[in-house]
Amino acid sequence: MTHNKSLLTGVTALCMVSLGLAGCSSSNGGGGSPSASGSPGSTQTTDTSNAQRGGTLNMLGTGDIDFMDPNISYYSIGYLGLRMWTRQLLTYPAIPGKTTKPAPDLATEVPTMQNGGISKDGLTYTLHLRKGPMWNTTPARPVTAQDVARGVKRTCNPVQPFGGIPDFATLIKGYQSFCDGMKKDKTAPAMARYIEGHEIPGVVAKDDSTIVFHLTKPATYFTGILTMPAFSPAPKEFLKYLPASAELAQHTLSDGPYQVESYKPTKEIVFTRNPAWKASSDPIRKAYVDKIVVNETGQQNSIQQQLETNTASADMGFDTGPAPSQLPGLIAKKDPNLNLGQTSSSNPYVLFNTVSPNNNGALSKVKVRQALSYALNRANILQVLGGTTVNPPLTHVLPPGVVGAKNFDLYPHDVAKAKKLLKEAGYPNGLTLKFLYRNASEGSSKAFQTIQQDLSNVGIKVKGVTSPNADFYTKYLEVPSVAKRGVWDVSLAGWGADWYGNSALSFFNPLFSGKPSFPPIGSNFGLYNDPKTNALIKQAATAKTTSEAAALWEKADRQVMEDAPFYPLTSPLNPNYHASQVHNAIYVPAFQQFDPTNVWLEQGKQGG
């Protein structure tokens, strides 16, 4: 999502550096519940036997969500915000050991062939909506299958499309044709007429409580795709506003346990109880606290200091965790409020702008990108991000645990090799590169400084281009014209799986599949386009067996690394921290934070 957009996905030592698109991780439980003791892979248990209801959960952050729009957000922190006020067909529960396994949310069950939800040929998925979920309209009205279909239609609007569309653009029958037909409708009224007047053959509201998806080919990973907020229902009122617009952000409707009481971009989000929500209709969110206040104006180090004081005004982080310099001490003393959560991510990674006109288009040349890869010292960069305990090295596209991942390293640190390749490429005297980074993040700033030093050793001068957290993706990386103008040459980005296990597609399609993955549809921010890679991705995506797919994804991984459009660093553990009054803090990798809708606050420290 970039956002993990795979991912994604979105706040960790990893996401502190590069708040990932759609997918990262973190977790734990404090004040009586087992939590990470500062060691990787610690276990979590639920802590609800003495749960206290009520109070205000105060979350502290350094930046904003991407969009207050469930069908468009593609950023781990956006997903975190959506957890409070939106519902999905399927989602990830805050249950230890099950946080990466799809569970029914609006749907009554996860579709399988055994329960009849998946047809024998694997081309039809039928989901039944549970009774009870309501929109907080006046009067409240039920969430319907028609709302789900409308939500899917909104994803490919021509103004601000969902960034993970490459995951399913050719998979859902008729989706691409529907989207092509909406390209000229760039006003809210025109878009509304098109959306309400046209159907996607592969997304059918059979009746008010039954939604059916028809696929062009079998895809065993489709239940994973259905966990993405892009497949959230959209009420008809959303069509009054442009998708992802500031106007829509001020006129949201909720079907989750909380509603958006107020939203001041880059400053504060206040969530209060949704009177239309029924606990009996929601198996995912317990909603113990009455109110959630997100302060987006903090600084990473001071937020950590506030959380460690255990005062009622500072409960959890929002888009940040302990800074890399703070982690060794927390780990050494086995702080019970620290959690190091497993991720399925590449976060951060060094990104090369392959279309930059700077230096006579140097970064369009494979040898130059390979030279940069040899010049970078992964060990040095990981050290300033908190060390290899929380940042295990990653030297290729796919992180461990993803089908097709196989360990190899084409670019061991080699200054002499880097200089040789630069000379062969026509740059014996080096280059001057612009490095885009988020200066509000300690990890991002230190990584920039380290990379600057590494590249200086081969005659490359690096100049910093700073960005606020909230602008980093939306005003820079997600805007192709910015890359084409050469505003930046090198940057840090992050990516997490859009789903888990058989999820290689969610790395390759959004990041490396040529033009179909260019922003804003995809998250190929460096605009990399290679015919060999594109062909391998298509082959792997249509493989008939998992083993065949694994072999093809491995080949695609090697092809990408040979072309060197990016330099991977780590598939990290995600550090998150909470104050001692926070109980049942369960980390959910999809949004890189403890689940705010399932924590409860100790009596006497319930905020205000």
Side-chain angles (χ1 to χ4, degrees):
M1 130 207 353
T2 109
H3 105 68
N4 38 22
K5 227 102 155 220
S6 232
L7 185 30
L8 54 68
T9 304
V11 192
T12 73
L14 83 131
C15 298
M16 286 184 297
V17 177
S18 224
L19 295 173
L21 294 163
C24 265
S25 64
S26 125
S27 116
N28 134 326
S33 65
S35 68
S37 58
S39 59
S42 57
T43 59
Q44 291 183 282
T45 61
T46 54
D47 176 24
T48 60
S49 58
N50 298 307
Q52 301 291 319
R53 292 191 174 273
T56 297
L57 179 71
N58 289 292
M59 302 182 72
L60 308 181
T62 63
D64 205 357
I65 58 173
D66 56 344
F67 303 114
M68 190 73 76
D69 188 327
N71 303 120
I72 309 303
S73 178
Y74 195 43
Y75 182 31
S76 56
I77 307 309
Y79 282 17
L80 177 60
L82 294 175
R83 182 73 158 192
M84 273 74 98
W85 64 280
T86 71
R87 303 279 298 274
Q88 287 72 52
L89 291 170
L90 309 176
T91 192
Y92 297 109
I95 299 174
K98 297 182 180 181
T99 56
T100 59
K101 184 178 180 180
D105 185 356
L106 286 173
T108 57
E109 58 187 349
V110 177
T112 65
M113 287 189 179
Q114 289 71 29
N115 64 26
I118 303 175
S119 62
K120 290 184 179 180
D121 61 7
L123 296 178
T124 302
Y125 284 65
T126 302
L127 294 94
H128 301 284
L129 305 190
R130 66 179 71 245
K131 295 180 180 179
M134 306 285 283
W135 294 114
N136 64 334
T137 49
T138 304
R141 68 169 187 269
V143 176
T144 67
Q146 290 83 0
D147 294 329
V148 175
R150 184 182 298 111
V152 179
K153 292 177 184 180
R154 295 181 72 248
T155 59
C156 64
N157 74 85
V159 175
Q160 183 59 65
F162 173 62
I165 284 175
D167 286 339
F168 54 82
T170 60
L171 179 61
I172 297 175
K173 186 178 179 182
Y175 178 87
Q176 191 62 62
S177 296
F178 172 88
C179 298
D180 290 342
M182 190 169 36
K183 286 181 177 178
K184 295 181 180 179
D185 298 317
K186 295 188 177 183
T187 66
M191 216 177 296
R193 286 193 296 272
Y194 184 86
I195 287 173
E196 296 293 78
H198 296 77
E199 302 299 329
I200 301 174
V203 185
V204 179
K206 187 176 179 180
D207 53 46
D208 285 354
S209 62
T210 308
I211 186 77
V212 181
F213 294 91
H214 298 287
L215 309 185
T216 59
K217 61 180 182 289
T220 56
Y221 49 81
F222 190 63
T223 51
I225 287 179
L226 291 177
T227 64
M228 293 194 291
F231 287 79
S232 300
K236 59 186 178 183
E237 288 84 352
F238 277 15
L239 298 183
K240 296 177 183 178
Y241 313 99
L242 288 175
S245 65
E247 291 77 18
L248 174 58
Q250 299 300 325
H251 296 87
T252 53
L253 288 175
S254 170
D255 59 346
Y258 301 99
Q259 58 191 3
V260 183
E261 179 180 274
S262 64
Y263 173 43
K264 301 174 184 176
T266 73
K267 292 181 174 61
E268 183 185 71
I269 312 174
V270 177
F271 299 97
T272 54
R273 284 204 177 278
N274 173 8
W277 178 79
K278 303 181 186 72
S280 60
S281 75
D282 192 337
I284 300 297
R285 306 159 188 82
K286 297 300 182 185
Y288 292 111
V289 301
D290 292 331
K291 186 177 183 180
I292 300 172
V293 177
V294 180
N295 183 323
E296 301 177 332
T297 64
Q299 295 182 337
Q300 192 172 24
N301 284 302
S302 64
I303 287 173
Q304 181 61 27
Q305 291 168 5
Q306 291 177 71
L307 294 177
E308 290 186 42
T309 64
N310 301 313
T311 58
S313 60
D315 298 311
M316 286 170 48
F318 181 61
D319 67 336
T320 188
S325 60
Q326 297 167 324
L327 278 173
L330 294 171
I331 292 172
K333 69 178 184 180
K334 297 184 178 180
D335 192 309
N337 299 331
L338 173 71
N339 186 81
L340 303 178
Q342 295 285 347
T343 72
S344 182
S345 65
S346 178
N347 196 351
Y349 56 80
V350 181
L351 173 67
F352 303 136
N353 180 359
T354 68
V355 298
S356 172
N358 302 330
N359 305 287
N360 295 316
L363 288 179
S364 67
K365 300 178 181 179
V366 173
K367 282 190 176 181
V368 171
R369 301 195 300 267
Q370 290 175 335
L372 295 178
S373 299
Y374 278 115
L376 293 172
N377 188 326
R378 186 177 286 103
N380 287 348
I381 302 170
L382 296 184
Q383 186 59 40
V384 302
L385 297 184
T388 54
T389 297
V390 291
N391 296 289
L394 180 65
T395 58
H396 42 84
V397 176
L398 295 177
V402 175
V403 170
K406 188 170 183 179
N407 202 30
F408 65 94
D409 184 4
L410 298 186
Y411 303 105
H413 181 55
D414 190 331
V415 170
K417 182 74 170 178
K419 289 182 177 179
K420 180 175 180 292
L421 285 170
L422 282 174
K423 185 176 181 180
E424 290 176 1
Y427 298 92
N429 300 316
L431 308 160
T432 298
L433 301 176
K434 298 176 184 178
F435 195 110
L436 173 68
Y437 71 102
R438 286 172 279 200
N439 56 325
S441 162
E442 177 192 293
S444 186
S445 297
K446 287 189 173 182
F448 158 66
Q449 294 164 4
T450 305
I451 290 169
Q452 186 180 50
Q453 180 60 47
D454 282 351
L455 295 183
S456 72
N457 294 332
V458 297
I460 295 175
K461 185 177 181 180
V462 179
K463 295 181 178 180
V465 177
T466 61
S467 168
N469 282 2
D471 294 346
F472 185 71
Y473 283 108
T474 58
K475 293 186 180 179
Y476 287 95
L477 295 188
E478 292 179 351
V479 186
S481 61
V482 173
K484 292 175 181 178
R485 293 201 314 268
V487 173
W488 62 275
D489 297 302
V490 185
S491 187
L492 290 173
W495 194 259
D498 283 341
W499 60 92
Y500 300 95
N502 188 4
S503 58
L505 182 74
S506 76
F507 283 86
F508 284 98
N509 249 4
L511 298 180
F512 304 112
S513 63
K515 289 183 179 180
S517 61
F518 288 178
I521 295 295
S523 300
N524 183 351
F525 306 125
L527 305 183
Y528 166 68
N529 191 4
D530 175 70
K532 291 182 181 178
T533 299
N534 299 343
L536 284 168
I537 292 172
K538 288 181 180 179
Q539 283 182 268
T542 55
K544 295 180 180 179
T545 66
T546 301
S547 59
E548 180 186 350
L552 288 167
W553 288 128
E554 182 189 342
K555 287 183 179 180
D557 200 330
R558 285 187 174 272
Q559 182 61 45
V560 169
M561 292 312 303
E562 286 174 6
D563 285 344
F566 87 131
Y567 180 80
L569 293 170
T570 178
S571 178
L573 297 172
N574 197 63
N576 288 101
Y577 194 90
H578 64 78
S580 295
Q581 67 267 18
V582 177
H583 296 253
N584 197 45
I586 305 298
Y587 162 77
V588 178
F591 44 79
Q592 305 174 15
Q593 185 54 276
F594 308 119
D595 182 0
T597 68
N598 279 290
V599 303
W600 59 271
L601 299 172
E602 189 174 316
Q603 195 73 34
K605 288 190 175 182
Q606 292 189 313

